[in-house]
Each structure stands twice: as C-alpha cells, then as structure tokens.
C-alpha cells in the first residue's frame, strides 16, 4: 500500500465520528451539537478500549486496527443510514446577523489557518519528542502497551489517553503526518461544547459565538491546535463534561446522559491529570442539580457509571504504573515535583494569583510589572514566599516575563480578563450563579494542586474552557443594554477588545513558536527534518549524522543512552527498520539491554556518561557536545 493510500486511511476515524453523530442525533434539531459531543465521546472511548484489548492479545499492529476501524465505519454508517430514513428534511438556514457573521469570519479564518499549519507541520514539540510520541513507537515495536525499559520515566508514568488515540493514526497511516490534527479537532470540539454551555446558561446566538470566539482566539489554544501535546484534548473533554452537567438542571438524567457523562470522566482521567481539577466541580454541580430535583437514583447510577468508566478507560494504564513504581501515581519524588505540598489557604491564594497573573502577561512591560508586584505584595501580606518550593516548580521563578506566543508558555491576557469579568457577572446573576461557583471551584482546585511554573498557562486550559461560556454570556448582556448611548459605547469597547484578542491569536498562528506560517522559520521554508528540530535547531545535523553512521555500519540492534528529557523520537522514526533498545532504565522490573548485545550505540547527552557505558575498546565518535556514536571494534 502506498504512503498516500495509507494516509487516506486516517479518514476512517473521521467517517466513523461523522456517522456516529448522525446516528446519535436527537430528534430535536437544536441538539445536533449534543450529537457531535456524544459521538466524540463514544468513538474516543471505543478507541481507548480497543487499544487496551488489542494490547492484551499483543495485536498492536496495523491489520487488527485497520479491520476494527473498517467495522466501526461500516457499523456506524449503517446506523446513520437507518437514522436518516426517519428524519425530516434539513432546516432552513437562518440569517446570522452582522455580529454573528463578523465573529464567524474572524474565527473561521483563524481555524482555517490553524488547519493549514497543522497539515503542513511535522511534530516538533519538545515533550512530544521526548515522551509523548516516543512511547507510541515503543508500543508499536513491542506489540503491546506493557511497560518497557526507558530512562524517560514520563513515558510510563503519565496517563496515555491522547497517545492512545494517536496510536490508531500511527498504525493506520504508518507515520505521524496526521498527528497534529487530533488537537486541531479537539479545539473545535471544545469550542462547540463551550458555545453550547453558553446557550444553556441563557446566552443567545451572539453570546454563544462570542463564547466560542473567546476560547478559540486564546493564543494558547491557537498554538496547541497545531501540536501533538495533550492539553487541548483534555480541555475538550472537560468542556464536554460541563455541557453535559448543565443538562441536569432541566430534568432527571436519562441513561444516555449518565453514560455520556461517565465516558467523559473516564476520558479526562486517562488523558491528563490537570483536567481532573476542573472536572471535579463539574461533577459535583451535576450531582447537586439532580439532588435538588429529588432524583436520587440517577446520582447513584452516575456514581457507579463514572467509577466503571474510569476503571475501564484509565484503570489499565494506572495498573501498569502501579506495577512499575508501586503506586498508580508514579514515584513520590516525581509527584512532589509537580503537585503542591502546601495546602493552607494563604499558599493556595498566592498560587492562584500567580496562575492568573501569568495568563495576563502582555507586551506592555509596565502592566506586567504592576501585576507581578501586586501578587508579590499580597504574598508578603499573608506571609507566603512567592517562590515557596511547596507551590513552585523547582526551575521556575515568579514573576515570569514570557508574553510572546510560544506553545509551552504563551499567555492569553484578553481572553483571561474576559473570563474573569464573565465570572464576576455570572456570580451576580441568579441564573448563572451556580455555574459561576463551578468556575471558582475549578480555579480553586487547580490552585490547590498544580504548582506554579513557567509552563503553567497551558495546564490551566481546562479551567479556562469551563469559564469561557460566562464570558460569552456577559458580553451579550452588554449588547442588550437599553440605553442606546451606553449600548453603543459598550459595543465599540467590546469590538476593540475582541479584535485585540483575536489579533493575538492570529499572531500565535502566523508568527508563533515552534511552528509558524510566515516569516523566518516558516514551515514553508524548512524541510521536514528542520521542522522537527525547531526546538533544538543546533542538533538537527548531529542527529542526522548519528543516524547516517548507524546505517553505514550495518548495525541491526542499536543501543540508546539518553540523558534527562533529551529526544528519542527522531531516532525512532528514522531507524524503524532497526531494533532499538535502551542501555539504561528507570523503570523497576524492566532492566536495560546489555551493551555487548548491540551492534552500535547512540548517546544523547553527557559524553563522559556514555564512555562509562560503552566498552573502552569500541570506536567512539563524538559528533557534537550532546551527540555521540560508538561501534564495536572491527
């Protein structure tokens, strides 16, 4: 099968999703968005369960996955056909109006630009090259999801929900060409759920589009939508949980609603732990809404269903971590490096203020200094060191000053200010007060658990997504002020603010890092290999030299020695026809291979460390300060 034909196989999941959405569409036309959300949950949950089942059978290979997707596409296609037979014709499209049309144009062009960038880019995120994508290649090589020897403990410790979805694309297409599209699609799903939440809170069509625009134009969202990270995937699942929870206000939950909510909880748990901080208040809100209607049985059923879904979707990966490290959360040192160890109210307050302040960084240095100084003063007033190690990751120092559009650190000041304003308005309006408390709960829980760090802006995207509907709700209320002069003034101010926020989003796509559409370093001026090394451009030639030397030697079994979080993935994709083994391991119960069992060694890191592993009589080639190869004597 040719490469182009295999890439087309990536359409099978998309077709399955489309057919499932048609089959699950309620008879009410207004609930088409709900059908898409339910279909996404069902397809993603099925993909995770399928991967786990095939792993038990050691079927992590292209043929079983291809057959599974063919069956899923045909099955959902038949259900969609049966469903369409009994549906009325398509509804007449409504005139969107000038406000909605303007938002649609601005957001549509941004999303289209992201799609071009996602398709044109090769995966080049730092963490992806280190562990997100590297673990997928280990699974394919081993034929299972079981633990393996590695020095990159994150490949084992971190839950693999997004990577399991990418695994399907990897086996269907034979490469990583469509990988960026997962987060792009997750961004659209998140926006769909955010807009629906705004509508459930009482926003009209304009308010729903405004909520979606606030979410989609956030630079962190725009940058993640072309990436192989997992923050946008978990954010989408949390947003789906929020709109499902709002359904509980109207009537006792049905089984379909309970199962959808449970599936979403399982997907959040298996994708990224940062999503749990926003998910927990959402689930509490759902339960309280049901109890207020004296619906006790649905709450009991939901508790059982959520537990079963989490066990089915996340349980296998947590058990693998338990097997390796004696705890489903990994070694204690790793947990303490990322999670707060202080939980007293002053520490939580300071941590929350720092998390919020980091999202508000802007190109205006005076504003950044004022915000940072204010947080430091509050910290002093409550007796908390603003860089207390109990609430700060060890390599980070507050206040940070990184305002530029960078995937790992970009702030979103306009959008963050709007959701904060929306939350205040939500607390003042009876209809939205309960949901605003959910937002505060999500922010408080995040501040209590997630240490402040330079890379924290992307970690709090789930809480941002939960809050975005309130921004749309509040902005639309400004458009409905009775006094014409005030309404026009507010509308003009809103237009300026929203355009400034959208401009920041466009800058992120066109000039952001590590992928950009135009300017120096554009994806259209770099070849595939250069794109992959956008984060480490000086190492592109060194990695290529090491790979060429291994191929020239004729080595079939290659040993790897990697320091810290340096990159394994480029070696894996270029040496897929070789057997790669680790010569060191941080995974208990999975010892490394012996250096005497390999035909060549590639070391990425300290060359002195490499010399301590490689026998003294081997030929040793130092390519640069980080990259070294070694071969046995002729």
């Amino acid at each position: 099968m040719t490469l182009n034909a295999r890439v087309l196989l990536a359409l099978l999941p998309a077709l399955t999703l489309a057919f499932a959405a048609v089959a699950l569409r309620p008879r009410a036309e207004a609930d088409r968005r709900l059908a898409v959300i339910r279909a996404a949950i069902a397809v993603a949950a099925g993909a995770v369960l399928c991967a786990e089942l095939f792993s038990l059978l050691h079927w992590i290979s292209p043929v079983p996955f291809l057959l599974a997707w063919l069956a899923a596409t045909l099955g959902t296609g038949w259900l969609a056909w049966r469903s369409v037979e009994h549906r009325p014709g398509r509804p007449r499209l409504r005139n969107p109006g000038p406000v909605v049309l303007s938002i649609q144009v601005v957001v549509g062009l941004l999303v289209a630009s992201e799609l071009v960038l996602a398709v044109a880019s090769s995966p080049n995120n730092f963490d992806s090259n280190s562990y997100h994508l590297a673990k997928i290649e280990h699974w394919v090589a081993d034929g299972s999801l079981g633990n393996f020897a590695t020095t990159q403990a994150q490949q084992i410790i971190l839950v693999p929900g997004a990577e399991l979805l990418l695994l399907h694309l990897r086996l269907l297409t034979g490469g990583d060409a469509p990988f960026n599209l997962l987060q792009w699609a997750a961004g659209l799903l998140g926006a769909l759920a955010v807009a629906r939440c705004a509508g459930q809170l009482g926003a009209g069509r304009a308010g729903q589009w405004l909520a979606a625009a606030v979410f989609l134009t956030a630079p962190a969202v725009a940058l993640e939508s072309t990436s192989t990270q997992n923050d946008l995937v978990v954010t989408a699942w949390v947003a789906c949980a929020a709109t499902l929870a709002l359904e509980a206000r109207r009537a006792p939950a049905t089984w379909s609603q309970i199962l959808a909510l449970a599936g979403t909880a399982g997907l959040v748990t298996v994708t990224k732990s940062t999503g749990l901080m926003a998910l927990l208040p959402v689930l509490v809100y759902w339960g309280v809404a049901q109890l207020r209607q004296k619906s006790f049985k649905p709450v009991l059923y939901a508790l059982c269903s959520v537990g079963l879904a989490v066990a089915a979707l996340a349980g296998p990966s947590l058990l693998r971590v338990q097997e390796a490290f004696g705890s489903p959360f990994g070694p204690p040192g790793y947990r303490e490096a990322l999670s707060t160890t202080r939980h007293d109210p002053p520490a939580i307050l300071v941590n929350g203020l720092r998390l919020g302040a980091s999202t508000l960084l802007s190109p205006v240095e005076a504003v950044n200094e004022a915000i940072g100084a204010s947080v430091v003063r509050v910290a002093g007033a409550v007796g908390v060191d603003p860089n207390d190690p109990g609430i700060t990751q060890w390599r980070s120092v507050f206040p940070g000053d990184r305002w530029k559009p960078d995937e790992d650190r970009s702030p979103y000041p306009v959008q963050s200010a709007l959701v904060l304003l929306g939350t205040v308005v939500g607390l003042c309006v009876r209809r939205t007060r309960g949901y605003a408390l959910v937002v505060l709960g999500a922010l408080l829980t995040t501040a209590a658990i997630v240490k402040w760090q330079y890379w924290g802006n992307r970690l709090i995207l789930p809480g941002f997504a939960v809050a975005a509907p309130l921004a749309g709700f509040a902005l639309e209320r400004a458009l409905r002020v009775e006094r014409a002069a005030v309404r026009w003034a507010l509308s003009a101010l809103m237009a300026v603010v929203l355009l400034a926020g959208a401009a920041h989003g466009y800058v992120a796509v066109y000039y952001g890092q590590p992928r950009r559409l135009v300017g120096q370093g554009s994806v259209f001026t770099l070849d595939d290999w250069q794109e992959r090394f956008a984060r480490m451009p000086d190492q592109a030639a060194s990695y290529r030299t090491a790979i060429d030397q291994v191929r020239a030697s004729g080595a079939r079994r290659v040993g790897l020695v990697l320091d810290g979080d340096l990159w394994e993935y480029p070696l894996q994709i270029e040496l897929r026809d070789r057997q790669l083994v680790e010569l060191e391991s941080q995974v208990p119960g999975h010892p490394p291979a012996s250096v005497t069992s390999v035909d060549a060694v590639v070391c990425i890191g300290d060359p002195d460390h490499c010399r301590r592993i490689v026998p003294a009589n081997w030929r040793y080639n130092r390519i640069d300060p980080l990259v070294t190869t070694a071969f046995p004597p002729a």
Side-chain angles (χ1 to χ4, degrees):
M1 186 180 296
T2 65
L3 178 61
N4 290 336
R6 293 201 67 177
V7 171
L8 288 176
L9 293 178
L11 294 176
L12 290 177
L15 287 173
T16 301
L17 177 61
F19 290 150
V22 174
L24 293 172
R25 183 170 57 123
R27 292 191 177 276
E29 291 292 338
D31 277 346
R32 283 180 293 178
R33 290 180 296 188
L34 178 60
V36 174
I37 290 169
R38 287 179 177 176
I41 295 168
V43 171
V48 171
L49 292 174
C50 178
E52 292 289 356
L53 174 61
F54 285 178
S55 175
L56 293 176
L57 302 171
H58 289 272
W59 285 0
I60 302 295
S61 58
V63 172
F65 278 71
L66 174 59
L67 294 177
W69 279 110
L70 285 173
T73 304
L74 293 174
T76 54
W78 180 78
L79 291 174
W81 176 73
R82 290 292 304 272
S83 174
V84 169
E85 277 189 324
H86 302 93
R87 296 299 170 89
R90 295 177 60 184
R92 184 170 55 88
L93 297 178
R94 294 179 296 171
N95 187 344
V99 174
V100 172
L101 181 60
S102 300
I103 298 171
Q104 289 174 339
V105 171
V106 172
V107 172
L109 289 175
L110 179 62
V111 171
S113 300
E114 293 168 357
L115 177 60
V116 172
L117 187 57
V119 172
S121 303
S122 299
N124 61 4
N125 175 266
F126 198 101
D127 291 348
S128 296
N129 278 285
S130 176
Y131 53 86
H132 285 306
L133 304 186
K135 72 168 70 174
I136 296 175
E137 294 304 313
H138 277 285
W139 294 338
V140 174
D142 296 343
S144 79
L145 306 177
N147 292 335
F148 45 84
T150 178
T151 57
Q152 312 271 359
Q154 300 98 316
Q155 295 179 7
I156 305 296
I157 296 171
L158 300 179
V159 284
E163 292 86 347
L164 290 175
L165 299 181
L166 292 177
L167 173 64
H168 287 262
L169 296 177
R170 163 68 174 83
L171 292 171
L172 287 175
T173 66
D176 57 17
F179 278 10
N180 292 333
L181 294 177
L182 174 63
Q183 287 240 113
W184 180 81
L188 293 184
L189 178 63
L192 186 74
V194 164
R196 189 170 188 271
C197 284
Q200 291 169 300
L201 292 172
R205 198 176 185 194
Q208 295 173 45
W209 272 100
L210 285 166
V214 168
F215 176 76
L216 286 173
T217 59
V221 174
L223 289 159
E224 285 259 346
S225 67
T226 61
S227 165
T228 47
Q229 283 273 45
N230 56 9
D231 300 284
L232 211 49
V233 176
V234 74
T235 297
W237 297 136
V238 171
C240 290
T243 189
L244 293 172
L246 284 169
E247 290 283 317
R249 303 190 311 173
R250 300 188 303 179
T254 63
W255 267 111
S256 61
Q257 293 172 333
I258 292 173
L259 292 177
L261 187 69
T264 311
L267 289 169
V268 170
T269 307
V270 77
T271 302
K272 191 161 188 171
S273 59
T274 53
L276 295 174
M277 277 68 95
L279 176 67
L280 180 60
V282 168
L283 294 179
V284 171
Y285 178 86
W286 185 92
V288 170
Q290 288 292 289
L291 291 175
R292 291 184 64 180
Q293 302 174 56
K294 301 187 183 305
S295 303
F296 302 109
K297 284 186 177 181
V299 174
L300 179 61
Y301 296 153
L303 286 173
C304 296
S305 299
V306 167
L308 290 173
V310 169
L313 296 175
S317 61
L318 295 177
L319 286 176
R320 289 191 289 269
V321 180
Q322 170 77 33
E323 173 198 341
F325 299 100
S327 167
F329 309 110
Y334 184 83
R335 300 197 302 271
E336 292 173 3
L338 300 176
S339 302
T340 57
T341 55
R342 282 191 62 176
H343 302 100
D344 52 292
I348 295 174
L349 171 64
V350 172
N351 198 39
L353 290 175
R354 293 183 308 167
L355 290 171
S358 294
T359 67
L360 293 169
L361 289 173
S362 71
V364 184
E365 189 59 32
V367 174
N368 299 340
E369 291 177 356
I371 293 174
S374 299
V375 175
V376 171
R377 283 196 296 270
V378 171
V382 298
V384 176
D385 179 356
N387 290 300
D388 188 307
I391 54 174
T392 308
Q393 195 188 53
W394 65 276
R395 287 186 292 180
S396 302
V397 178
F398 184 84
D401 59 356
R402 184 75 181 199
W403 67 267
K404 295 181 180 179
D406 184 287
E407 176 188 0
D408 292 324
R409 299 174 61 175
S410 179
Y412 29 100
V414 172
Q415 294 81 5
S416 181
L418 288 174
V419 298
L420 290 174
L421 175 64
T423 303
V424 172
V425 172
L427 289 170
C428 298
V429 177
R430 182 178 180 182
R431 180 171 185 173
T432 58
R433 188 170 299 140
Y435 188 81
L437 291 175
V438 171
V439 173
L440 291 180
L443 299 177
L444 181 64
T445 308
T446 302
I449 297 176
V450 178
K451 283 186 174 181
W452 181 86
Q453 54 192 273
Y454 287 140
W455 306 273
N457 287 340
R458 62 185 177 86
L459 302 181
I460 60 177
L461 283 177
F464 169 75
V466 172
L470 291 174
F473 175 82
L475 290 171
E476 188 183 51
R477 285 178 68 89
L479 295 174
R480 295 177 177 176
V481 174
E482 292 184 1
R483 294 184 59 181
V486 176
R487 184 172 65 252
W488 281 108
L490 289 175
S491 299
L493 177 61
M494 184 193 311
V496 171
V497 171
L498 289 173
L499 286 174
H504 199 176
Y506 272 92
V507 169
V509 174
Y510 282 83
Y511 296 98
Q513 289 294 334
R515 294 165 300 280
R516 56 173 55 183
L517 278 176
V518 299
Q520 184 178 3
S522 163
V523 294
F524 300 114
T525 63
L526 303 175
D527 62 30
D528 176 77
W529 195 248
Q530 290 173 320
E531 286 178 34
R532 292 180 183 276
F533 282 86
R535 285 299 199 200
M536 295 200 307
D538 295 339
Q539 305 310 130
S542 302
Y543 269 75
R544 173 57 66 192
T545 300
I547 291 165
D548 291 343
Q549 289 182 1
V550 168
R551 289 195 172 280
S553 73
R556 307 304 305 174
R557 182 174 165 91
V558 183
L560 302 181
V561 180
L562 297 103
D563 283 355
D565 58 356
L566 294 177
W567 294 0
E568 180 180 8
Y569 186 63
L571 300 173
Q572 292 172 312
I573 61 175
E574 289 296 310
L575 295 172
R576 281 178 178 155
D577 56 343
R578 270 45 172 188
Q579 182 184 11
L580 303 183
V581 296
E582 305 280 343
L583 298 183
E584 292 184 303
S585 178
Q586 292 185 1
V587 183
H590 294 270
S594 169
V595 69
T596 59
S597 70
V598 301
D599 308 317
V601 173
V602 178
C603 298
I604 311 294
D606 181 8
D608 293 333
H609 180 66
C610 189
R611 285 189 181 275
R612 291 192 292 269
I613 295 175
V614 176
N617 63 335
W618 282 39
R619 290 180 289 118
Y620 189 83
N621 305 311
R622 184 172 178 179
I623 300 171
D624 74 358
L626 279 181
V627 182
T628 306
T629 59
F631 303 92

